[in-house]
Amino acid sequence: SVNTLQGSVIDDNGDVVSDFNGSVSVNIYDKEQIITTLNNDKEEIDTLFKYKDRPNMLFSGKAVVNNGRFSITFMIPKDIKYNYGGGRINYYAQDDENDYEAQGYFENFKIGGESGVLINDNEGPIIEQIYLNHLGFASKDKVNESPYFVATVSDENGINTVGSGIGHDMTLTVDNDPNQSYVLNSYFESELGSYKRGTARYKLTELAEGKHTLTYRVWDLLNNSTTVSFDFEVVMGLEPEIFSVISYPNPATVTDVVYFKITHDRPETILKATVDVFDLSGRLIWTFNQSTTETIPWNLTSNNGEKLSNGLYLYRISISTIEGRSVSKTNKIIIKNQ
């Protein structure tokens, strides 16, 4: 069944926090189960431990919080425990502008049985994008030893990430090898305010050099699946590639703070970034380095702390891996009076 949940962020007095504007993460769990430990060490049977837990997540998504209130629509999958019992909803909300946080839970509802509404659907999810490291990836391309997998998928009846139905996990498999098959349920993030679309992201463990095949399989909430495979080649010591370097605002005025942004093919990889700014005579004006490739700010001053004068400048951005492989790209920036 499709359900809409409404909620609010309240203070200690129970009043709605009307200036809370941000997002809320919503996780909905199936009924409690009694779990028995596995006795991995093969000790006496009386050392087994039993405890209660909710291992099956039925939905995970985000919604916008506007003036302290939110609403989110979701679909309960086929893969639930069909007996009736109490579920649980966990909330975490944040408002970055006001530096607010909120958390809570709700358990006063039942999950079980099945809907009397028959949905006629035998089509699996649509795979809108799928690639390694960057959007320009094509099958048989060369990648580094630990590439970053990304797939954006959608389905009118939602994406299954529950994990309680046998064989209905979202999976990623290397070379059709069961020992290199990874469950991506917890690596899938729904689009803000939607249960029908989202993105799975996963960094693969180090692979052997040579050619490989990757197979991705995803299910909707009615247990229809879609499978896609593509080939790629792992090259040891492959240099990173910078696709673009930009600065904004550009042109910039002398009172602006300029930001440098790098687009490259090594997401989720430890990289060092260096920015060097030169005047047209080739003199180094400013240099800066950091241990990530996050956006880099610059207040338009030289290494000596002097404000730059009007004119055209060149900047070079370099990125390097922990193994010492590096690459750079150059662009221009104009500084002018207000």
Side-chain angles (χ1 to χ4, degrees), residues 17-291:
V17 184
S18 59
D19 64 340
F20 196 111
N21 295 288
S23 63
V24 58
S25 297
V26 179
N27 294 328
I28 303 177
Y29 295 88
D30 207 344
K31 297 164 285 291
E32 275 191 341
Q33 298 180 39
I34 297 176
I35 312 295
T36 303
T37 54
L38 298 178
N39 193 20
N40 298 41
D41 297 328
K42 309 301 179 185
E43 298 176 357
E44 296 296 328
I45 195 68
D46 58 3
T47 63
L48 294 177
F49 179 72
K50 293 185 179 181
Y51 63 99
K52 292 182 178 180
D53 196 8
R54 299 180 186 269
N56 297 328
M57 184 184 293
L58 304 183
F59 172 75
S60 178
K62 285 186 176 182
V64 173
V65 181
N66 187 24
N67 298 329
R69 301 183 184 276
F70 64 90
S71 175
I72 189 167
T73 300
F74 59 94
M75 182 175 179
I76 295 294
K78 277 189 173 183
D79 289 339
I80 64 170
K81 303 295 183 183
Y82 281 81
N83 60 302
Y84 286 93
R88 180 182 174 99
I89 306 174
N90 285 349
Y91 306 101
Y92 171 75
Q94 62 186 64
D95 176 349
D96 293 334
E97 184 173 340
N98 291 311
D99 196 24
Y100 288 161
E101 287 183 298
Q103 60 182 0
Y105 72 96
F106 183 71
E107 293 183 345
N108 190 22
F109 68 100
K110 301 291 185 183
I111 291 178
E114 58 184 326
S115 171
V117 178
L118 179 63
I119 302 176
N120 185 20
D121 177 18
N122 55 14
E123 298 291 331
I126 298 171
I127 299 178
E128 299 178 4
Q129 291 179 342
I130 188 167
Y131 59 88
L132 293 176
N133 289 343
H134 61 94
L135 275 170
F137 173 87
S139 185
K140 300 182 180 180
D141 275 0
K142 294 178 173 62
V143 298
N144 58 309
E145 304 94 306
S146 299
Y148 189 60
F149 171 82
V150 179
T152 298
V153 297
S154 63
D155 192 280
E156 188 64 26
N157 292 305
I159 304 300
N160 192 340
T161 58
V162 179
S164 62
I166 297 175
H168 295 159
D169 290 313
M170 182 184 298
T171 57
L172 187 65
T173 306
V174 180
D175 297 333
N176 296 315
D177 181 1
N179 294 321
Q180 295 188 82
S181 187
Y182 308 98
V183 176
L184 303 191
N185 293 340
S186 59
Y187 295 90
F188 179 81
E189 183 175 353
S190 297
E191 189 176 82
L192 183 66
S194 173
Y195 68 93
K196 299 180 179 182
R197 187 173 186 270
T199 301
R201 297 178 175 89
Y202 185 77
K203 186 174 177 62
L204 288 156
T205 55
E206 188 168 323
L207 300 171
E209 186 168 22
K211 296 180 179 180
H212 298 275
T213 299
L214 203 59
T215 302
Y216 174 66
R217 190 173 195 184
V218 58
W219 301 75
D220 65 17
L221 296 178
L222 298 177
N223 294 337
N224 303 302
S225 70
T226 299
T227 303
V228 64
S229 297
F230 59 83
D231 299 322
F232 63 99
E233 182 178 354
V234 170
V235 177
M236 304 296 286
L238 185 68
E239 288 186 352
E241 181 178 357
I242 295 177
F243 299 120
S244 68
V245 292
I246 63 170
S247 60
Y248 58 93
N250 189 6
T253 64
V254 291
T255 58
D256 283 331
V257 174
V258 168
Y259 296 90
F260 297 101
K261 184 176 180 181
I262 314 164
T263 303
H264 57 85
D265 69 343
R266 296 296 170 87
E268 298 298 311
T269 299
I270 299 174
L271 296 171
K272 177 183 176 182
T274 301
V275 179
D276 297 311
V277 179
F278 305 88
D279 62 19
L280 291 183
S281 67
R283 182 168 58 99
L284 179 63
I285 301 296
W286 182 75
T287 186
F288 178 81
N289 63 74
Q290 64 182 26
S291 57

Side-chain angles (χ1 to χ4, degrees), residues 260 274-280 282-288 298 300-303 308 312-317 331 333 335:
F260 297 101
T274 301
V275 179
D276 297 311
V277 179
F278 305 88
D279 62 19
L280 291 183
R283 182 168 58 99
L284 179 63
I285 301 296
W286 182 75
T287 186
F288 178 81
W298 179 38
L300 300 183
T301 59
S302 68
N303 289 331
L308 269 63
L312 177 65
Y313 295 84
L314 301 177
Y315 63 89
R316 179 182 63 207
I317 298 182
N331 210 335
I333 183 171
I335 301 175

